[in-house]
Amino acid sequence: MDPAEEKAATAIGYMRRFLTEPAAKPSEPRVALWLALSFLFAGFYAYQGLVEGFSGRYVVQDDARQHIFWMQRFVDPGLFPNDLIADYYESISPSGFTTLYWIFGHLGVEPLLLTKILPLVLGLAATAYSFAVTMRVLPVPAAGFAASLLLNQVLWSRLDLVSSTPRAFLCPLFLAFLYHFLRRSLIGCVVTVALLGLFYPSGLFIAAGVVALNLFRLEKRRLRVSQNRGEYFLCAAVLVVASLATAAYWLQSSRYGPPITASEGRMLPTGLAGERLGFLDEEFWTYWLWGEQSGLLSSVSPMPFALIAGLLLPVLMYSPKRFPLASRITGAKLLPLTALASVIMFFAAHAVLFRLYLPDRYIRQTVPMLICVAAGVGLLVMLDAVLRWSISSQLNKRVWVAAGATALVGAMLVSFPSFVKRFPRTKWRAGEEVQLYEFLSRQPKDSVIATLSREANNIPTFAKRSVLIAPEYANPYQRSYYLQLHERCLDLLNAQYTTDSENLRNFIREYHVDFFVLDRNAFEPSYLQGWITRRFRPTAVEIKKRLERGDIPVMAKVMRKCVVLETGRVIVLRAADVEEAAQR
């Protein structure tokens, strides 16, 4: 070997040791460096995703509106008294999730502000545990970096983490469970399973499934049972904790009765529920494969291209001569085990729809996080094989081959955001009717606002006042709650467009309405061509015919005498003035 070739081999050797050499111990500086890089990218993606959330006072993440608004009671206990919607969402919020917001609320931190901080904290926690889990599978720090980077790309291309709702806690808590399970830490497993039950109960079913399935072995094509007593003890402890957590949550959330069944869901009036129940009537293949709430492949898109390396990992492990680093992989059994537990729970949720909530909740986060770990390991195993070949090869251009392979892996890891239409995907909602929010926030705390305007979705969060109905809060999965909301909406629709003053007055008295909020075009026939017609077609079509015929609703006649606020888009009427004017 001439000096040039020797120098090239030495350079490639240094590159291989830095990138793919297993770490002898966790305290190596190389481990800290790759972990720091992982946190750097996680923080960068979080900054990109959260900067819009801090752009104004009236900005909220779309899903956070449902699950967070009622928690403003923790800062001001007088808010939302006797509010059906607030009480319902309080009843279905997991106790750990509620307690976290309660603690910060009593420390003076507004829930809306906390929703914008938590994604960064949870993202960093998921990054740390993703790195740690990957290091348990393959002790190569660069593999931990690759896995955590891909995971952050997946997290910020979806709406789970940024929502700060219960499902935002699944990824860090489940990865923490996997880490402690790989270490066979009884206390760690029990604590993380308990936390899953407190923050996202669906996740503990998968964790319990992993522990139970681990008792079985496939040896020489035969299924055998573990002989390790410690594994049985761990399984028993996890199942006991999971059972207690599940029972506690079901007791807490049973205030509005049991969840609906699939047959009941098909008979419910879709109205306010919109698309939430629409998946029940989808075509067979859509329903089972890629339906957003029901499909087995609903978690596939969007996904970084580099994740294909995760699917190749089994092939790499069965070719240790070509891929020597694969021989250092340990604990990889956990990945297919977790995937199997997720798929089992997916079909179980279908079998007892909606008793275990939505089927896709059991695969949409766990499967991608497993593939991220597998991809981080697979990429480094393949890169190591190329670098080893480059060292032993007699080609003069082997340095370029090694450098090119390294650059290709790097490009695959960091390029995903450039190929996605929206990254990060956040779905922040900015409230536009600032005057409306400020006016309503000055009204008594027990005020009830009746409106068919889309602003109904924003008023509880931004104005901190109760609305009679709002499409955003129409959760159809518990019959008694949903039917009340659906009936309210029909009553409001009829009252707003009635030509009988007595009907309007009765509505105001029955629901103790304090204000009506009307869109400026509320009494034009074209107004009823939007979401109202789509969800309440028979009633809306009849009202539209009356408007086209020239029938003037009572509220339209008295409106100008009762206005207390006008903005560019909405008009606010005092209900007491409407009732008085309608009586004349």
Side-chain angles (χ1 to χ4, degrees):
M1 183 181 294
D2 61 38
E5 289 183 340
E6 185 176 353
K7 186 180 293 185
T10 302
I12 297 172
Y14 280 129
M15 185 185 299
R16 191 188 72 80
R17 283 193 291 274
F18 178 71
L19 292 174
T20 66
E21 184 73 24
K25 51 186 178 180
S27 59
E28 279 189 23
R30 190 161 51 105
V31 177
L33 173 62
W34 285 110
L35 180 58
L37 284 174
S38 301
F39 284 139
L40 181 65
F41 274 91
F44 176 65
Y45 291 149
Y47 168 77
Q48 288 184 305
L50 298 177
V51 64
E52 185 182 349
F54 287 96
S55 62
R57 179 182 176 187
Y58 298 110
V59 179
V60 65
Q61 203 279 331
D62 184 55
D63 292 329
R65 290 184 297 182
Q66 288 184 35
H67 298 275
I68 307 300
F69 82 95
W70 68 269
M71 293 186 179
Q72 296 174 113
R73 287 170 164 174
F74 298 149
V75 179
D76 185 347
L79 295 177
F80 308 112
N82 304 312
D83 187 317
L84 169 67
I85 298 174
D87 291 344
Y88 171 74
Y89 276 94
E90 180 179 6
S91 74
I92 65 170
S93 294
S95 56
F97 175 73
T98 299
T99 301
L100 179 68
Y101 277 86
W102 179 86
I103 291 171
F104 280 95
H106 281 73
L107 293 175
V109 179
E110 288 277 352
L112 190 57
L113 173 61
L114 188 57
T115 63
K116 301 174 184 181
I117 298 172
L118 278 177
L120 171 62
V121 177
L122 296 175
L124 292 176
T127 299
Y129 275 111
S130 173
F131 190 95
V133 167
T134 307
M135 287 286 288
R136 299 292 301 188
V137 176
L138 178 68
V140 174
F145 165 76
S148 63
L149 176 60
L150 293 171
L151 178 66
N152 274 283
Q153 291 173 356
V154 170
L155 290 176
W156 286 103
S157 63
R158 303 177 183 203
L159 300 176
D160 300 304
L161 181 67
V162 72
S163 71
S164 292
T165 59
R167 70 178 191 266
F169 291 81
L170 174 61
C171 187
L173 288 178
F174 195 81
L175 283 169
F177 162 75
L178 293 181
Y179 171 71
H180 291 294
F181 185 71
L182 283 168
R183 296 178 63 239
R184 293 300 188 269
S185 168
L186 174 63
I187 295 177
C189 287
V190 167
V191 169
T192 51
V193 167
L195 288 173
L196 281 168
L198 291 171
F199 282 88
Y200 195 72
S202 298
L204 66 82
F205 291 113
I206 305 173
V210 170
V211 176
L213 289 173
N214 184 61
L215 299 178
F216 300 92
R217 305 281 189 274
L218 190 62
E219 298 175 358
K220 297 180 181 180
R221 298 183 180 181
R222 290 187 177 183
L223 192 64
R224 301 183 185 278
V225 181
S226 173
Q227 303 299 315
N228 188 327
R229 291 186 178 181
E231 291 185 345
Y232 283 94
F233 186 74
L234 173 62
C235 181
V238 166
L239 291 179
V240 167
V241 171
S243 300
L244 292 174
T246 301
Y249 178 70
W250 280 350
L251 285 173
Q252 170 197 328
S253 60
S254 63
R255 177 175 173 183
Y256 292 87
I260 62 170
T261 63
S263 57
E264 289 174 337
R266 290 185 175 91
M267 292 187 294
L268 277 180
T270 53
L272 275 175
E275 295 77 26
R276 288 185 175 97
L277 293 175
F279 76 93
L280 291 172
D281 298 319
E282 288 176 342
E283 296 180 356
F284 179 86
W285 293 112
T286 301
Y287 179 83
W288 283 105
L289 292 182
W290 50 82
E292 185 177 350
Q293 296 172 314
S294 61
L296 185 61
L297 303 180
S298 61
S299 62
V300 169
S301 180
M303 297 271 269
F305 176 74
L307 293 186
I308 194 70
L311 302 178
L312 296 175
L313 186 59
V315 177
L316 304 179
M317 293 177 64
Y318 280 105
S319 305
K321 290 184 178 180
R322 293 186 178 183
F323 303 96
L325 190 58
S327 62
R328 298 295 300 272
I329 295 175
T330 59
K333 171 192 171 184
L334 181 63
L335 302 183
L337 207 63
T338 306
L340 178 59
S342 298
V343 172
I344 289 174
M345 286 308 306
F346 168 82
F347 285 108
H350 267 294
V352 294
L353 199 72
F354 294 86
R355 304 287 176 171
L356 293 173
Y357 199 40
L358 298 170
D360 78 315
R361 295 301 192 265
Y362 294 94
I363 57 173
R364 63 185 292 172
Q365 291 194 64
T366 52
V367 171
M369 73 174 74
L370 295 174
I371 298 177
C372 287
V373 172
V377 172
L379 284 172
L380 270 294
V381 167
M382 288 188 287
L383 180 59
D384 177 75
V386 173
L387 294 179
R388 288 175 185 269
W389 174 84
S390 298
I391 293 173
S392 61
S393 173
Q394 298 301 313
L395 294 175
N396 292 330
K397 296 181 180 180
R398 59 189 173 183
V399 174
W400 294 105
V401 173
T406 304
L408 177 62
V409 170
M412 290 175 64
L413 288 174
V414 301
S415 61
F416 172 70
S418 303
F419 294 96
V420 183
K421 187 175 181 180
R422 293 189 305 272
F423 185 89
R425 185 168 175 240
T426 54
K427 215 171 181 180
W428 292 107
R429 301 296 190 189
E432 299 176 354
E433 294 296 327
V434 176
Q435 287 180 273
L436 172 66
Y437 312 141
E438 292 180 347
F439 170 79
L440 292 177
S441 67
R442 294 193 296 267
Q443 307 311 311
K445 295 174 184 178
D446 61 351
S447 297
V448 176
I449 293 88
T451 179
L452 295 172
S453 170
R454 286 284 187 179
E455 283 302 326
N457 295 329
N458 294 328
I459 288 172
T461 299
F462 296 144
K464 304 178 183 178
R465 294 298 180 267
S466 299
V467 291
L468 192 65
I469 62 100
E472 185 71 18
Y473 306 105
N475 188 331
Y477 306 120
Q478 282 176 294
R479 182 184 179 90
S480 63
Y481 166 74
Y482 176 69
L483 288 180
Q484 288 184 70
L485 220 58
H486 189 84
E487 182 180 5
R488 285 181 174 192
C489 193
L490 280 175
D491 289 347
L492 173 57
L493 188 59
N494 286 314
Q496 183 166 309
Y497 294 98
T498 186
T499 55
D500 185 337
S501 59
E502 188 61 27
N503 288 343
L504 177 57
R505 294 200 303 273
N506 288 339
F507 172 81
I508 294 172
R509 294 166 188 162
E510 179 181 355
Y511 289 107
H512 307 287
V513 176
D514 295 286
F515 295 95
F516 289 97
V517 176
L518 305 173
D519 288 323
R520 282 190 171 275
N521 62 339
F523 296 106
E524 297 175 9
S526 59
Y527 182 72
L528 294 167
Q529 294 175 353
W531 72 272
I532 299 173
T533 298
R534 289 196 305 271
R535 301 184 181 188
F536 297 92
R537 179 165 294 278
T539 303
V541 169
E542 176 60 30
I543 292 172
K544 183 181 178 183
K545 288 179 180 178
R546 295 205 305 261
L547 292 176
E548 290 174 338
R549 197 166 55 230
D551 295 350
I552 302 176
V554 176
M555 194 176 295
K557 293 179 181 178
V558 304
M559 180 173 63
R560 284 296 154 194
K561 302 176 184 177
C562 313
V563 174
V564 291
L565 176 70
E566 286 191 65
T567 72
R569 181 184 162 193
V570 300
I571 300 171
V572 182
L573 314 180
R574 193 180 303 277
D577 296 341
V578 172
E579 183 180 5
E580 182 180 348
Q583 196 171 4
R584 296 173 184 172

